[in-house]
Every structure is written in structure tokens, then in C-alpha cells.
Amino acid sequence: NAGVTQTPKFRILKIGQSMTLQCTQDMNHNYMYWYRQDPGMGLKLIYYSVGAGITDKGEVPNGYNVSRSTTEDFPLRLELAAPSQTSVYFCASSYFRLNQPQHFGDGTRLSIL
Amino acid sequence: KNEVEQSPQNLTAQEGEFITINCSYSVGISALHWLQQHPGGGIVSLFMLSSGKKKHGRLIATINIQEKHSSLHITASHPRDSAVYICAVRVSPGAGGSEKLVFGKGTKLTVNP
């Protein structure tokens, strides 16, 4: 019973590098979300998706891109990594948008140096 | 002023004590979530409630919509309850907007044996 799986768990990038954070869920959930958690701050929504082929911006989308080609997968792309993107990233999913609890992955700790 | 305020920020208790964590919010909401973030970083949804009270094992969540306040109680606390507890509110949409989740900064609970 995998739930929401994120890879990698840790990554160090140099400024200007690019990378993709992977997220997959096996619960057939329609909605998927990407959050970032900065020290001492609440989770902030980066992007979300209501189903395959449909994505929308959250509160802090700048510097990120997403795609949703299948129900299961929702990768987050950083094109030109910047120190301000050092954070812990969480992927989550739910069957309906906000009136059901979200299931979270274990997070990806990303450092940009 | 943050839309969601949690208190206290940090809480240390002895095993067996009754714990209360508070969440106050300043906006109209349609539901409130309590989540638990384990020391390893993973996030689990504990409760979602829009009125009254919910109980699961030793955990009790209450909400007072009129006073814009929710509490999370832990009875007979145990060291394994040590975690960060996060309150999140589902904010009702404004004109032209959509619902969103706003997260508190979390309360770090440490239960000593």
C-alpha cells in the first residue's frame, strides 16, 4: 500500500542547475498538489492538478513547472535552481479537492548551493 | 497578521499529561484540518472537521466556528506523540477566487518519558 511516493528524498543542486522532483500515487486520486515548507513557515501551495492534463498555479508558482500526463504522476520541475528554492517539498493527493483529507508523501529535502 | 495562528509554538510535556494545542483563524472557513508531521518529516492527516468535535483514540479535535477557534487535545500523552502538529483551514472563496488551504506554522510537541 504505497500511497504517495516522492523521489528523491534528498538532493543538493548548484545554482542554475535543473531537476525534476518525482511524485506518484496509487490511490487513483484526481487531485494532486505540490507544497514547499520553509523553516518556521506554514506549507505553501506551488501548483495543483485536478486531473490528467489539467494543472493550475498555487500561491508560489514562480520558478517551477508541472505536468500531469497520467492520473498517477505529477512531477515538479525546477529549471534554473536558485538559493531561494532551498526547501522541503511535499507532494499530496486527494480524491476530491479540499473536502477530503490529503495524503502526503514523505517529502524531498532540496538544497541549492 | 497571519490568517492562521497556532499556540503554543513549542510545548514540552511529561508522559501522561493532557495536551492542548490551539488554532485561531481570522477568515471565513468551510473546514479545518489537523495534521501531524513526524520527526522524520512525513505528514499525516489526523482530522477534518467543520463543526463540533471528533475523536480518534487519544486524540480529540474541537472547533468553534463562531469564535474562529479550534483545539487539538491529546489525552495520556506518550513520547511517540512527539511531533509537529499543523492546523490548516479551508478558506471560503472570495469574489472570483477559489477555495484554498492555508496552513499554520505548526506546534512542536515533545513528550518526555
Side-chain angles (χ1 to χ4, degrees):
Chain A
N1 192 6
V4 179
T5 303
Q6 288 184 239
T7 56
K9 293 194 185 308
F10 304 95
R11 184 74 184 267
I12 298 174
L13 282 182
K14 294 182 179 177
I15 295 171
Q17 286 186 319
S18 62
M19 78 162 293
T20 300
L21 281 65
Q22 301 291 346
C23 175
T24 187
Q25 52 94 6
D26 62 359
M27 296 171 283
N28 202 31
H29 283 168
N30 295 321
Y31 291 86
M32 296 187 74
Y33 316 83
W34 274 106
Y35 296 96
R36 60 178 288 172
Q37 184 180 40
D38 299 323
M41 303 297 290
L43 288 154
K44 298 287 187 185
L45 182 66
I46 304 171
Y47 270 96
Y48 68 97
S49 168
V50 305
I54 307 170
T55 63
D56 208 348
K57 296 177 180 178
E59 298 174 79
V60 289
N62 291 343
Y64 306 96
N65 280 300
V66 293
S67 60
R68 184 100 181 265
S69 57
T70 66
T71 300
E72 295 77 21
D73 300 307
F74 190 40
L76 177 72
R77 178 103 179 138
L78 284 71
E79 290 293 351
L80 288 170
S84 61
Q85 294 176 306
T86 294
S87 189
V88 181
Y89 292 83
F90 287 94
C91 179
S93 72
S94 62
Y95 194 70
F96 294 110
R97 181 160 179 219
L98 292 178
N99 60 354
Q100 274 199 343
Q102 295 182 9
H103 297 257
F104 285 81
D106 289 338
T108 295
R109 187 174 296 273
L110 181 62
S111 295
I112 316 293
L113 304 177
Chain B
K1 187 181 189 298
N2 292 331
E3 291 172 300
V4 181
E5 297 278 358
Q6 288 187 235
S7 63
Q9 284 186 307
N10 293 283
L11 180 57
T12 300
Q14 288 301 121
E15 184 173 356
E17 285 185 1
F18 181 83
I19 304 292
T20 296
I21 298 171
N22 297 299
C23 176
S24 297
Y25 51 92
S26 57
V27 293
I29 72 167
S30 49
L32 183 143
H33 299 250
W34 281 103
L35 307 109
Q36 179 191 55
Q37 185 168 21
H38 301 139
I43 298 174
V44 175
S45 182
L46 297 174
F47 295 103
M48 185 179 68
L49 66 166
S50 54
S51 65
K53 176 168 124 174
K54 285 192 176 180
K55 184 176 189 291
H56 182 72
R58 295 181 294 106
L59 300 178
I60 303 165
T62 64
I63 187 168
N64 185 319
I65 296 292
Q66 286 73 32
E67 295 192 359
K68 296 188 175 178
H69 182 268
S70 175
S71 293
L72 177 67
H73 305 287
I74 305 174
T75 61
S77 59
H78 190 277
R80 65 175 175 268
D81 297 324
S82 298
V84 175
Y85 292 85
I86 300 170
C87 169
V89 298
R90 195 166 101 217
V91 178
S92 306
S98 58
E99 280 193 321
K100 62 178 182 178
L101 271 184
V102 178
F103 293 81
K105 295 179 181 180
T107 293
K108 183 176 181 181
L109 171 66
T110 303
V111 182
N112 294 318

